Amino acid sequence: MSRYRVELTGAAAKQIRRLDPAAQRRVLAALTRLEVDPRPAGVKKLTGFDDAWRIRIGDYRVLYEISDKTVLVTVFRVAHRREAYGR
């Protein structure tokens, strides 16, 4: 099984930088685990998107797209659960 490359959009990187240090560590650890398994237990497919998924990390949500063809995970949003799904 190949390892996926995890990339952050500019907005997602900025959102991670704004988190408190403990939340940053948890989110970054989860992103590292996505390299091995982009669809871990508890992952949910988002409705209204072609190939978008979300994982829970405490009160935070990481929204991302998976491209199996290019072995790439693109994280496009990291936010508190009450703010995660608005556009």
Side-chain angles (χ1 to χ4, degrees):
M1 184 173 174
S2 23
R3 290 179 67 91
Y4 282 72
R5 190 173 74 241
V6 176
E7 291 184 354
L8 303 172
T9 63
K14 187 175 182 180
Q15 291 160 354
I16 291 172
R17 284 194 301 270
R18 289 183 175 174
L19 297 176
D20 64 82
Q24 276 184 4
R25 284 191 297 277
R26 289 192 311 269
V27 167
L28 293 174
L31 295 180
T32 301
R33 290 190 298 272
L34 288 179
E35 292 176 352
V36 177
D37 183 10
R39 294 176 187 91
V43 69
K44 299 273 184 170
K45 185 162 184 347
L46 297 179
T47 57
F49 292 90
D50 289 335
D51 202 23
W53 304 79
R54 76 108 168 113
I55 54 172
R56 290 180 51 195
I57 303 164
D59 286 339
Y60 292 91
R61 304 296 182 261
V62 174
L63 309 180
Y64 59 97
E65 294 179 336
I66 302 170
S67 173
D68 291 314
K69 197 176 251 187
T70 59
V71 195
L72 175 68
V73 172
T74 305
V75 177
F76 61 89
R77 187 162 176 88
V78 177
H80 192 275
R81 64 187 177 96
R82 70 177 164 249
E83 302 164 353
Y85 303 105
R87 289 203 168 226

